[in-house]
Amino acid sequence: MKLLSTMLFFSVAFSSDPRALTDATNAVADARQLSIAHERLGSEPHVAGTAGDLRQIDRIAATFVELGLEVEVHRFHPLLARPLEASLEIVGELAPEGGRRGVMAIDLRERNLLEDPATAHADLSYGWNAYSGSGDVTGNVVYVNYGTRADFAKLAEMGIEVKGKIVLARYGGNFRGFKAKFAEAAGAAGLLIYTDPADAGASRGPVWPAGGWANDTCIQRGSILTVPWPGDPLTPGIEATADAKRLDVRDVALPTIPVQPIGYAAAERIIARMKGREVTDPAWKGGIQQTYRLEGGDELTLRLVVKQERFIGETANVVATLRGTSKRDEVVVVGCHHDAWGFGAADPLAGTIVLMESARSFAEAAKSGVRPERSIVFAAWGAEEFGIIGSTEWVESRRALIEKSVVAYVNLDMASMGDKLGISASPSLRRSIESAMRRLTSPFDGGVVFEAWLNSRVAPGTDAPIGDVGGGSDHVGFWCHAGVPSCTLGAGGSQGSSYHSNYDTVTWYRKTVGADYNSALLVTRACNALVAELANDPLPPVSPVALQRDAVRLVRLERDRAKKANLKVDLEPLIVRFEALVPTAERAESVVAAARARGGDPSLDSQLRRLLSVWIEPEGIPGRPWFRNLYAATDRSSGYAPAMLPLLTETIEDGDVAAVEQAITRYERVADELAIALDAIALGARDGVEHGRSPK
């Protein structure tokens, strides 16, 4: 279904200066409007595929229409999951006086709170992990720390048997789905995952409702999908339409063991009864006031029951467009997902309200006569929580058009959580980001937030306060599949966590992050400034020199990793190859800067895009063909971190010398193609011809 707003067919006076567009949009941004949007979008639980989700889609679409934007509701039909039944019991334990104790049921739901009536909403569920296997299993207990690959390897080295056991892992260290994957590979019968107080609970500070940290019944929900592609697990690479040709669910590596999240009060009841070997490694100890042990012993037996339904459901992306002027066929996309595990006041709505307020800012500025040169798409993605599904389906449905027209993607997931600005980005966007941030003042002490950010250092070996963009959210389809320069924008630092729990309510947010919505206003202003910079840049926002210097940094890091792993491979020639490109990149940068200063040069557009496209491998990364960008992918073992130069990263990690050599050869071809592309840009400066144009 498409909802089309009435277009504004009148002459507008627009400015190509990003400052004018920044000032016009930030004059509109308002903390009160952010608060109103939060109240509206956080009014009910809205898990993907539920009735609340459909109502949320309608609310967002109606708001975009009211703003006068072109609105499309892009519906798709992925494999989803819903909980049917779950229980956890201690069914075997020796009593001190001999004999067996009775069965002890362990609660799988947060306490309702008088201080926050929303926690009693009828549509809230007990804790669950989407796509868990269904089953009824009984077994002894093994504690596996964070459940990383290294943790399971350490247990094996110590001779601790996991097969047939119910393993207990704490959240953190990697994506929860990999905890399930590694537990299943080790032969575990079931998996319990809890939030340890040392990571996000009482050890950090006062807990909810006295403070913002997770109390002892707080449960982190979330997907445990780990197929080697994001999006719908049954339609990799193609859009999940109602009649799409799907993989047989039996041929897809979905979890088979039952997986259940619990709070740390529930975990403590188990840990307190464990009688096996004591944990000696401090890194394996958390904040529960009991002795951490690796095994529960034969006397401690748990029964875990999980029943879920996997089904093809309907949800939607809501995509609103503000048409540009002179470059209306080129697009900047700003996005945040709209689905949640409950009310979602922090995740995702701390970002969704920024998306909505930024859309309002640009729409109102356009009505007053200040329009961007490029078109801007404001996208509220569906089913992100189940596996980055909505944005992936949108990218897969129009990848060729996106590669041709989208110049940048800005992601806002859970964006306004404090007053400490944090940005991760593709290297080609660093110039645009820093330029935009230097123009800003903030609600916090007259610009001190942006000044502190600009003076910080995140990426090792760079002079930029910008990190490498990795996995875990809706930028993945744009950056890792389509090769579109992407960034994640947000602010953190608030003292608390309600992550994926029933406590993630507007009441929690206002008490923990702030009822003044200064954080959301800060991020809205930063978003407006960055989008204005990207939309009004006379050239595609690509920095030749940033790309090359960053490539050198990354190859050096891989050289050091290979040395540490004692691999007999030589990465020095590849470093030299990329280093040799830097002088040409610097000349190309001067050509680009001169063209930008005089309002652009159409001949440079395709040449700048070529600097990005040479990194795309049409066949994808071996074993993970959906990931086509040789510059960056998601880390295959953590799910959240970036895997920079993934061909090198993964083959070095595997210790496969022959595969590393093949990867080096592939990156040498990238360097050769970059040399041609950079020389084409720099040729104007070197030969004295018109900047950006090759001589005839």
Side-chain angles (χ1 to χ4, degrees):
M1 178 182 73
K2 277 192 176 182
L3 302 173
L4 294 178
S5 68
T6 302
M7 293 294 292
L8 301 173
F9 292 109
F10 54 83
S11 176
V12 295
F14 67 93
S15 170
S16 61
D17 180 9
R19 181 181 298 276
L21 187 54
T22 298
D23 291 345
T25 53
N26 280 346
V28 175
D30 181 70
R32 182 173 177 273
Q33 291 299 319
L34 285 157
S35 177
I36 291 170
H38 208 200
E39 194 81 38
R40 183 172 64 253
L41 297 181
S43 60
E44 66 173 327
H46 45 280
V47 179
T50 66
D53 180 47
L54 297 178
R55 289 190 291 269
Q56 187 81 322
I57 290 164
D58 289 342
R59 280 189 284 266
I60 293 170
T63 300
F64 281 147
V65 169
E66 289 170 5
L67 293 176
L69 303 173
E70 298 178 39
V71 181
E72 177 189 3
V73 177
H74 170 236
R75 301 193 184 278
F76 55 96
H77 299 76
L79 181 73
L80 298 175
R82 56 179 157 237
L84 300 177
E85 177 187 343
S87 63
L88 176 63
E89 299 170 323
I90 298 175
V91 297
E93 180 191 12
L94 288 177
E97 64 276 9
R100 293 278 175 179
R101 296 186 189 275
V103 172
M104 178 186 293
I106 293 180
D107 201 356
L108 303 180
R109 183 185 291 269
E110 292 92 341
R111 286 191 299 271
N112 293 343
L113 299 172
L114 290 174
E115 298 89 341
D116 188 359
T119 57
H121 196 287
D123 289 344
L124 291 173
S125 74
Y126 58 81
W128 64 294
N129 288 126
Y131 303 108
S132 166
S134 292
D136 183 338
V137 298
T138 300
N140 300 132
V141 185
V142 173
Y143 171 64
V144 297
N145 194 28
Y146 289 114
T148 65
R149 189 193 301 274
D151 290 337
F152 279 101
K154 184 172 182 178
L155 289 168
E157 289 173 6
M158 291 188 289
I160 293 181
E161 182 61 64
V162 171
K163 187 175 181 180
K165 308 292 178 62
I166 294 175
V167 298
L168 176 66
R170 52 177 171 156
Y171 273 113
N174 61 357
F175 170 56
R176 70 188 75 82
F178 287 108
K179 300 177 194 295
K181 182 176 181 177
F182 300 149
E184 186 172 325
L191 168 65
L192 303 173
I193 320 177
Y194 76 99
T195 299
D196 195 282
D199 297 315
S203 300
R204 301 292 303 277
V207 301
W208 186 242
W213 294 103
N215 67 32
D216 59 353
T217 66
C218 187
I219 300 173
Q220 183 189 136
R221 292 147 182 81
S223 170
I224 56 172
L225 191 65
T226 58
V227 292
W229 56 83
D232 173 39
L234 303 185
T235 58
I238 63 171
E239 183 183 3
T241 59
D243 57 355
K245 184 178 180 181
R246 304 176 192 276
L247 300 175
D248 190 318
V249 70
R250 294 169 296 185
D251 296 331
V252 179
L254 299 177
T256 62
I257 63 172
V259 180
Q260 178 62 48
I262 58 177
Y264 57 86
E268 182 170 12
R269 298 178 80 175
I270 297 169
I271 291 172
R273 290 167 171 80
M274 295 175 71
K275 304 298 183 184
R277 197 182 319 181
E278 186 174 340
V279 170
T280 57
D281 186 345
W284 280 54
K285 296 179 181 180
I288 289 176
Q289 298 303 301
Q290 300 287 342
T291 300
Y292 282 72
R293 299 182 184 276
L294 297 173
E295 297 172 283
D298 294 337
E299 296 82 8
L300 180 60
T301 305
L302 304 181
R303 181 188 179 195
L304 172 62
V305 177
V306 174
K307 293 183 181 179
Q308 287 188 16
E309 179 185 13
R310 297 167 180 169
F311 66 101
I312 303 299
E314 181 182 287
T315 184
N317 302 316
V318 187
V319 182
T321 302
L322 174 67
R323 296 294 172 186
T325 54
S326 63
K327 296 178 181 290
R328 62 188 289 121
D329 292 333
E330 297 181 18
V331 180
V332 177
V333 181
V334 189
C336 179
H337 68 98
H338 62 72
D339 65 307
W341 293 109
F343 290 94
D347 187 8
L349 297 183
T352 317
I353 60 174
V354 172
L355 173 75
M356 304 303 288
E357 186 64 4
S358 184
R360 192 180 74 86
S361 300
F362 279 90
E364 292 300 314
K367 291 174 185 176
S368 71
V370 183
R371 276 183 174 266
E373 294 198 28
R374 291 186 174 92
S375 297
I376 304 172
V377 166
F378 300 94
W381 308 115
E384 187 271 353
E385 294 291 4
F386 280 76
I388 317 178
I389 295 179
S391 57
T392 300
E393 299 311 312
W394 196 75
V395 170
E396 290 177 344
S397 72
R398 62 203 75 196
R399 192 185 77 198
L401 180 61
I402 286 170
E403 292 173 340
K404 178 182 178 182
S405 63
V406 177
V407 300
Y409 175 72
V410 180
N411 199 53
L412 296 169
D413 192 359
M414 204 176 174
S416 55
M417 296 298 295
D419 62 358
K420 294 178 176 61
L421 191 67
I423 304 176
S424 296
S426 312
S428 58
L429 293 184
R430 287 176 182 160
R431 184 204 62 82
S432 301
I433 292 168
E434 293 194 52
S435 177
M437 297 306 112
R438 289 186 190 282
R439 287 200 300 270
L440 287 172
T441 59
S442 84
F444 298 100
D445 303 324
V448 67
V449 171
F450 296 104
E451 183 178 352
W453 178 83
L454 286 162
N455 290 330
S456 66
R457 296 291 176 266
V458 175
T462 75
D463 58 357
I466 299 171
D468 294 322
V469 65
S473 195
D474 290 301
H475 57 277
V476 172
F478 290 90
W479 178 221
C480 301
H481 187 64
V484 173
S486 301
C487 73
T488 63
L489 172 65
S494 57
Q495 294 302 295
S497 175
S498 60
Y499 188 60
H500 288 190
S501 76
N502 285 351
Y503 296 138
D504 190 7
T505 65
V506 173
T507 298
W508 178 91
Y509 181 91
R510 288 175 174 170
K511 184 172 181 178
T512 305
V513 181
D516 56 10
Y517 284 85
N518 271 350
S519 177
L521 185 57
L522 161 76
V523 180
T524 301
R525 288 174 171 171
C527 180
N528 288 351
L530 176 56
V531 173
E533 182 80 25
L534 296 169
N536 278 13
D537 192 329
L539 293 170
V542 177
S543 169
V545 74
L547 279 165
Q548 294 317 117
R549 288 175 178 167
D550 204 59
V552 172
R553 171 182 72 92
L554 293 174
V555 180
R556 285 174 176 166
L557 289 173
E558 293 309 312
R559 173 200 60 192
D560 295 343
R561 289 180 66 247
K563 286 182 178 179
K564 187 175 181 180
N566 294 317
L567 288 184
K568 295 182 179 179
V569 293
D570 187 5
L571 283 165
E572 294 298 335
L574 185 59
I575 293 173
V576 170
R577 208 158 187 155
F578 276 109
E579 283 179 333
L581 297 178
V582 172
T584 309
E586 290 171 342
R587 292 195 297 272
E589 191 80 25
S590 68
V591 171
V592 172
R596 186 170 276 122
R598 65 175 184 270
D601 183 340
S603 69
L604 282 176
D605 286 17
S606 61
Q607 293 172 344
L608 287 170
R609 286 178 177 273
R610 179 63 179 156
L611 295 177
L612 302 173
S613 65
V614 298
W615 291 94
I616 299 301
E617 174 57 66
E619 302 303 317
I621 299 169
R624 299 199 292 162
W626 187 91
F627 291 91
R628 303 167 64 246
N629 192 343
L630 298 180
Y631 207 98
T634 60
D635 182 83
R636 59 182 177 173
S637 296
S638 76
Y640 293 121
M644 307 306 293
L645 305 185
L647 283 185
L648 284 175
T649 297
E650 294 177 6
T651 53
I652 290 171
E653 183 180 84
D654 292 340
D656 188 336
V657 173
V660 175
E661 296 288 358
Q662 291 176 355
I664 291 171
T665 299
R666 182 65 184 89
Y667 283 111
E668 286 175 342
R669 294 209 311 270
V670 169
D672 290 343
E673 293 181 56
L674 284 170
I676 296 170
L678 287 168
D679 194 62
I681 296 171
L683 192 60
R686 189 178 66 215
D687 290 353
V689 299
E690 183 182 352
H691 284 300
R693 297 187 185 276
S694 300
K696 293 181 180 179

